[in-house]
Amino acid sequence: SIKWTRNQLFLRSRMLQKTRGVNSWNAFVKAQLKAENEGLGRGDRTKLTAFIAENKATLLREYRKLTFAEKQAYNACVLEDRQAKNRTACANPKAIKHDVNAAFTFMDREVCCAILIILSLLSPPVHTNITEIYSQWMALHARTGLEGFYVAVRGGIEDLAEPKVFFTEKSQKFVRDVLGVEPQHLGLKLEAFIISKLDEHVTLNRQRPLNKLISECRTLIQDNLEFILMEKNTSGEVKMNYTNYERAIVERHGVELTKWPLPGGVKNPSKVGGRAQVQALLDALQSKSCKWVSFSDEELVKRMKDNRARHARGEQVYVQRKARARVSQPKSKATVNTDDELSSSSSSDSDSDSDSDSDSDSD
């Protein structure tokens, strides 16, 4: 059952913590013995001790010829056998309960020891009783300013471990005001959700934002392009060009993005359509069905001829670069010669004075 499997994984982890390192000699001898006994039934197989005694000189001679990579390969085989080996642990609910309590007690003890060390370093020394502190975790919060909470509940009705809950003051306010639930009730709801196995029947269909899907498509295309160009020993950074893809990418670097899953050829993922089209493109990129491939010299020459023929027929294979816009200079203001203006004004004044004098003489 799932419960039994979970207990096996939980309890068996302790059994796997104290495994010895792999010895290359032992791995080599094991592989040789396995080859010796291949196809033989029980009772006819050679024992390990007898095999080593009979072939010790040959084994030593062959072992000295091994390279480092070959030794590592033998070690990897041993590690695979260890992982495949079935180890059964007895499922004991009380043992799980004690393990959980011991883990949280150890966490509290670690925090408590850290507080005692800090208090002992204070000058003058501060004498206080740690038991008077509300919680060792609250003391950690007071010392470091960390805010947070944890809620740990049992994983099934057969388990006996009680809920473990801790909240700092601000995290309590967050749970009450934002989530709209009391902190202790949050622990009870989590325990009820898990024990009633609602997690196995409730599916949350949360779609990722479209812009995230588009960004992931662009990243995959760019990363794979850089990888294939690195294999071709292309120097310099090359950015994907969707607008002039044939000229700037295919013909210039001799690579092509094959099996594009959407009609219309390679284009910017933001212009392929809606969510369904972008998701189809992302699936193709992730599954490697749509991938970059390199051209041979003959294939590249043929592709360039085909592109020019298509472009001559009127297809928009190559996109002309936009002409650079001229920056219009603002017109300067008309210049005025102040000397001419002064001379003209003085002459007009003299003319007016002479006119006035002539009028007075006539009178």
Side-chain angles (χ1 to χ4, degrees):
S1 64
I2 298 178
K3 178 65 177 178
W4 181 87
T5 304
R6 186 182 296 114
N7 288 336
Q8 291 295 309
L9 296 174
F10 179 75
L11 295 175
R12 196 172 60 182
S13 61
R14 290 186 170 185
M15 301 168 61
L16 300 177
Q17 288 176 356
K18 298 181 180 180
T19 56
R20 295 186 305 169
V22 180
N23 184 278
S24 300
W25 164 256
N26 293 340
F28 169 72
V29 173
K30 180 180 179 180
Q32 298 300 318
L33 179 61
K34 184 177 180 180
E36 178 74 16
N37 291 328
E38 187 175 0
L40 300 178
R42 290 188 177 183
D44 298 331
R45 298 173 185 172
T46 305
K47 301 295 183 182
L48 176 62
T49 53
F51 177 72
I52 294 177
E54 295 174 1
N55 306 278
K56 185 174 182 179
T58 305
L59 291 173
L60 289 173
R61 184 169 57 254
E62 296 296 330
Y63 180 74
R64 293 191 187 98
K65 296 180 182 179
L66 295 179
T67 63
F68 178 78
E70 291 173 337
K71 292 179 180 180
Q72 292 298 316
Y74 283 120
N75 294 349
C77 293
V78 174
L79 293 176
E80 290 178 1
D81 293 340
R82 286 184 179 180
Q83 293 178 357
K85 186 177 181 181
N86 185 21
R87 297 187 179 187
T88 304
C90 297
N92 188 347
K94 289 187 177 180
I96 297 177
K97 176 184 176 181
H98 293 323
D99 198 5
V100 171
N101 291 336
F104 281 93
T105 301
F106 177 77
M107 292 163 62
D108 288 340
R109 187 183 300 114
E110 289 293 317
V111 178
C112 180
C113 291
I115 296 171
L116 290 175
I117 292 174
I118 292 175
L119 293 178
S120 64
L121 295 176
L122 293 177
S123 181
V126 177
H127 300 284
T128 183
N129 186 3
I130 291 299
T131 58
E132 296 177 358
I133 302 177
Y134 169 73
S135 170
Q136 287 84 358
W137 289 96
M138 288 300 296
L140 178 64
H141 156 70
R143 177 169 60 89
T144 62
L146 291 175
E147 298 285 349
F149 65 92
Y150 67 77
V151 179
V153 298
R154 54 182 175 162
I157 195 171
E158 299 88 356
D159 297 334
L160 304 177
E162 63 274 10
K164 304 291 183 180
V165 181
F166 167 76
F167 290 85
T168 60
E169 183 177 356
K170 290 184 179 180
S171 64
Q172 285 185 2
K173 189 173 182 180
F174 166 78
V175 173
R176 288 194 181 100
D177 298 344
V178 178
L179 302 183
V181 64
E182 289 294 323
Q184 287 74 16
H185 294 173
L186 179 63
L188 295 176
K189 288 185 176 182
L190 175 61
E191 184 179 36
F193 179 82
I194 294 175
I195 292 179
S196 60
K197 298 183 179 180
L198 288 177
D199 58 317
E200 300 177 4
H201 306 289
V202 176
T203 57
L204 300 177
N205 186 16
R206 294 182 179 177
Q207 291 184 340
R208 297 173 58 192
L210 181 58
N211 61 338
K212 296 292 184 182
L213 299 179
I214 295 174
S215 176
E216 191 169 349
C217 289
R218 289 173 178 166
T219 301
L220 288 173
I221 293 173
Q222 181 65 39
D223 291 346
N224 293 330
L225 174 62
E226 293 176 357
F227 181 77
I228 195 170
L229 292 180
M230 182 179 63
E231 291 182 337
K232 292 171 64 69
N233 296 324
T234 302
S235 60
E237 183 179 1
V238 178
K239 292 293 185 181
M240 178 59 181
N241 190 328
Y242 296 99
T243 304
N244 211 349
Y245 163 73
E246 288 292 336
R247 185 191 299 275
I249 301 298
V250 177
E251 296 184 2
R252 184 173 182 180
H253 300 287
V255 294
E256 179 189 15
L257 189 58
T258 60
K259 297 183 180 179
W260 186 263
L262 302 172
V266 176
K267 61 178 67 175
N268 195 316
S270 63
K271 299 179 181 179
V272 298
R275 175 180 293 275
Q277 289 76 17
V278 176
Q279 186 64 53
L281 174 59
L282 180 59
D283 295 340
L285 292 170
Q286 290 177 339
S287 64
K288 302 292 185 181
S289 61
C290 178
K291 61 181 180 180
W292 290 98
V293 296
S294 299
F295 283 141
S296 63
D297 294 339
E298 295 79 6
E299 291 173 339
L300 181 58
V301 171
K302 184 178 181 299
R303 179 62 171 264
M304 294 173 68
K305 291 181 179 179
D306 293 342
N307 286 343
R308 282 158 177 74
R310 290 169 51 203
H311 191 73
R313 290 194 300 267
E315 297 184 34
Q316 193 177 10
V317 179
Y318 304 117
V319 179
Q320 298 295 331
R321 297 182 60 181
K322 294 181 179 180
R324 181 177 297 178
R326 293 183 179 180
V327 180
S328 58
Q329 298 292 339
K331 294 183 179 179
S332 60
K333 297 181 179 180
T335 57
V336 178
N337 192 336
T338 57
D339 296 335
D340 296 340
E341 184 179 1
L342 291 175
S343 60
S344 62
S345 61
S346 60
S347 61
S348 61
D349 291 341
S350 61
D351 293 340
S352 61
D353 293 339
S354 60
D355 293 339
S356 61
D357 292 341
S358 61
D359 295 337
S360 61
D361 293 338
S362 64
D363 294 337

